[in-house]
Amino acid sequence: MKKGICGVTSKVKVARAALHFWEETCISGTKGSGAVFFSGCALHCVFCQNEAIAQGTAGKEIEKERLVEIFLELQEQGANNINLVTPGQYIPHIVWAVEQARNQGLHIPIVYNTSSYEKVDSLKQLEGIVDIYLPDFKYWNPDIAKKYSHAADYPEVAKAAIAEMVRQQPVPVFHEDEAQECDIMEKGVIVRQLLLPGQLQDAKKIVKYLHENYGNQIYLSLMSQFTPLPHVEKYPELNRKVSPRTYEKYIDYCLDLGVEQGFIQEGEVAEESFIPDFNGEGV
């Protein structure tokens, strides 16, 4: 089979399927999110923390029937949801697998965890399938998008993709879970914005756009976890962590803007230990 720009063929390839505890609190809780890490990605970020799967080198090819089993197994393990990570290249298979799994008793929410470099027509296929959208909004400036992800059209593509996600899930819905001592999301959109070194002004423009256009329809996840891995050495400006002071300025700006529904990261989260081992667990 011929490989696409995402680095994989049309055959479903999964690198890991296991409980994941490092998402936003309302996604992971204490029981964990049932994360299914798919191989391949259409967006080739130079700083990618999941490089092995993004390039399609890690992972195991499976039949779509196995994907149904994986969803049900994660639910049996107590997962709060099924978290589809970089799934865009497998949308037809995912739609089929979710429908089959629901016929067999799958009842937890489906999370679509994406870079937002997605076609609107593709996302429309997920209406009624995905309960929670967890998209990134990486760049505002096309030049920065071109430099770090080889995709100058990323900002416009992401805007359109997120608009479609909010159309499908316009109202955040949670339920209180006393056992996990937090509210668990059932429906809605959480947009992630990873603050990159030296890109505070770009990040501010993204947050301003999202807040002005969607307000309390969405939640924002303001992330400081950028981890400089060895493959960013060619980009010295990225070969460092974001300073606590810079992140504090970012948060202060968001608060001054009026952002009320959001998640922030505290403590030391920019560590390689937070990056999963893509060893085929659960596949």
Side-chain angles (χ1 to χ4, degrees), residues 138-141 144 193-209 246 249-250 253:
K138 296 178 181 292
Y139 316 103
W140 183 262
N141 187 323
I144 300 172
Q193 208 295 306
L194 175 64
L195 181 59
L196 295 175
Q199 298 302 332
L200 178 58
Q201 297 309 312
D202 197 69
K204 286 180 177 180
K205 291 175 183 177
I206 292 170
V207 172
K208 186 174 187 290
Y209 167 83
T246 299
K249 289 181 179 178
Y250 181 39
Y253 173 81

Side-chain angles (χ1 to χ4, degrees), residues 25-129:
T25 304
C26 66
I27 301 294
S28 288
T30 58
K31 294 180 179 178
S33 177
V36 182
F37 289 88
F38 291 93
S39 299
C41 182
L43 197 64
H44 301 287
C45 304
V46 300
F47 54 83
C48 183
Q49 296 181 21
N50 296 343
E51 187 181 30
I53 61 170
Q55 294 185 355
T57 55
K60 175 183 177 182
E61 290 188 346
I62 61 172
E63 300 296 332
K64 58 184 181 179
E65 289 81 5
R66 175 58 190 146
L67 195 55
V68 176
E69 295 173 352
I70 288 172
F71 294 165
L72 294 170
E73 288 167 6
L74 288 169
Q75 178 173 267
E76 182 65 24
Q77 291 170 32
N80 284 313
N81 43 62
I82 301 299
N83 185 353
L84 310 173
V85 185
T86 58
Q89 57 273 21
Y90 304 114
I91 285 177
H93 306 79
I94 286 168
V95 170
W96 182 89
V98 170
E99 290 175 341
Q100 294 299 312
R102 284 176 174 166
N103 289 337
Q104 297 178 41
L106 183 71
H107 57 81
I108 55 178
I110 302 296
V111 179
Y112 194 81
N113 191 332
T114 171
S115 69
S116 295
Y117 199 54
E118 305 259 8
K119 294 180 179 179
V120 170
D121 287 345
S122 297
L123 293 171
K124 286 182 176 179
Q125 298 176 54
L126 297 168
E127 189 161 10
I129 298 295

Side-chain angles (χ1 to χ4, degrees), residues 143-156:
D143 293 334
I144 300 172
K146 182 178 180 180
K147 182 176 183 180
Y148 294 145
S149 290
H150 315 291
D153 61 342
Y154 175 87
E156 295 306 314

